[in-house]
Every structure is written in structure tokens, then in C-alpha cells.
Amino acid sequence: MALDTAAIDRALGAIGTTFRLTRLYPPSHPAVAEALRQIAETLPTLAALGTVEWKVGVTGLHWQGQHLLPRNSQIAELAGLLYARGVRAVTLGPGMTPDQVLALFEVAVGTIPPDDATLGRVTLTLGRRSSTRLEPLRTPTPGQGVPAVPDAAIVATILATCMGLAVRDES
């Protein structure tokens, strides 16, 4: 049975619109201010639901097994950016403010870290993978007493041994 997600859909619609506008205009722009006012109007309905946790996927947000606003490109873009930063769940606590939603946008675009204090009642859960795995591997340094470039005689001995040839001792 499908859940009634009308309140969450309205809140997400306002969040998606605000996300798009904040990427186009500065925070002082009247359109951004109006979008933040619309978010502020929807927050009490989210607070009435208690703590809400949205799963973050590559293509959007999920709540209790349902894909929320699957055709909303702004929400899909926000979720994709959060997912790329390692965020796998967004938990919204009652009492959340529009400024904390703006902080969520900043995490999505990489301006602030996912554990920043400005997120307030928004908690982000990171996945198991981290971006450190994507760093290039360093070549191992040789051990103590081992030359960085092997001696030609040692290389010749190793190759001859591997090939089954007799090694002449020239000492």
C-alpha cells in the first residue's frame, strides 16, 4: 500500500525550487528569499511527522520504500550531488530551519563538510566508501639496505636463475 507523501512532496518541491534558485542567484535575491519562505511554510508539516530519514540514491530520494518526486529534476540533481559526496541518508529532525536546508545545499556542492555544525537538525549519514580510496597509490619505497636501483649483476643472476642458466661467478 502506498503511503500518503503529499506533505513531504510539498516540502521537497519547495526544497528543489530553492536548490535551483540558490545555484542561479545570490542569497539576497528576492526569488531566493521567497523560496526560503516557502520552505519555512512546509517545515511544520515535516516536524509533525517527527524525525524523517530519506535514503539518498543516485537518481533521487526514497522514504519508506517510495521514490519521492521521481520526475523532479532539481531533487534528482541534489540527491546525485549528495550521493557523489558519499551521503547515503538525510535525517531531518523536528525544529529544522530554512538555513539548515541551505547548509544541506552547501554540502551537496562541496562548500562545507557533511559534519558541519551549520547543518543543525539535519544529520547526514555517509556510506562505507570514502573518497580517499580514489587517491593514487604511492609506489612503495625500498627497504633499509636495499638499493633503489638494483645492481646489474643481481638482475643478471636473477634472470639467469629464472631461465635455468648456469651463473658464472666472476669473483
Side-chain angles (χ1 to χ4, degrees):
M1 178 171 137
L3 297 168
D4 181 22
T5 60
I8 290 182
D9 288 349
R10 278 192 300 281
L12 274 176
I15 289 171
T17 300
T18 307
F19 179 63
R20 178 175 41 99
L21 291 172
T22 57
R23 297 190 71 194
L24 295 173
Y25 303 112
S28 59
H29 193 276
V32 174
E34 174 61 21
L36 287 172
R37 187 191 63 74
Q38 290 177 3
I39 287 179
E41 285 179 359
T42 63
L43 290 180
T45 58
L46 282 179
L49 295 171
T51 301
V52 176
E53 181 177 279
W54 295 329
K55 301 291 182 196
V56 178
V58 176
T59 59
L61 300 172
H62 301 268
W63 182 59
Q64 296 186 357
Q66 275 190 276
H67 193 172
L68 299 170
L69 295 179
R71 290 181 291 282
N72 187 314
S73 61
Q74 289 89 19
I75 294 299
E77 183 179 5
L78 175 62
L81 288 170
L82 287 170
Y83 192 87
R85 302 232 177 259
V87 176
R88 298 301 180 259
V90 176
T91 306
L92 310 174
M96 184 179 66
T97 66
D99 289 335
Q100 292 165 352
V101 175
L102 287 177
L104 177 66
F105 299 162
E106 291 180 30
V107 170
V109 296
T111 310
I112 63 172
D115 59 350
D116 197 271
T118 57
L119 286 165
R121 303 223 178 212
V122 178
T123 306
L124 303 177
T125 305
L126 301 178
R128 285 181 231 124
R129 295 185 184 193
S130 69
S131 61
T132 56
R133 286 187 176 188
L134 301 177
E135 293 176 6
L137 294 175
R138 292 185 307 152
T139 56
T141 57
Q144 194 171 20
V146 177
V149 178
D151 184 24
I154 295 173
V155 172
T157 304
I158 293 172
L159 286 173
T161 304
C162 292
M163 297 168 78
L165 303 173
V167 179
R168 278 189 310 177
D169 186 16
E170 296 181 13
S171 43

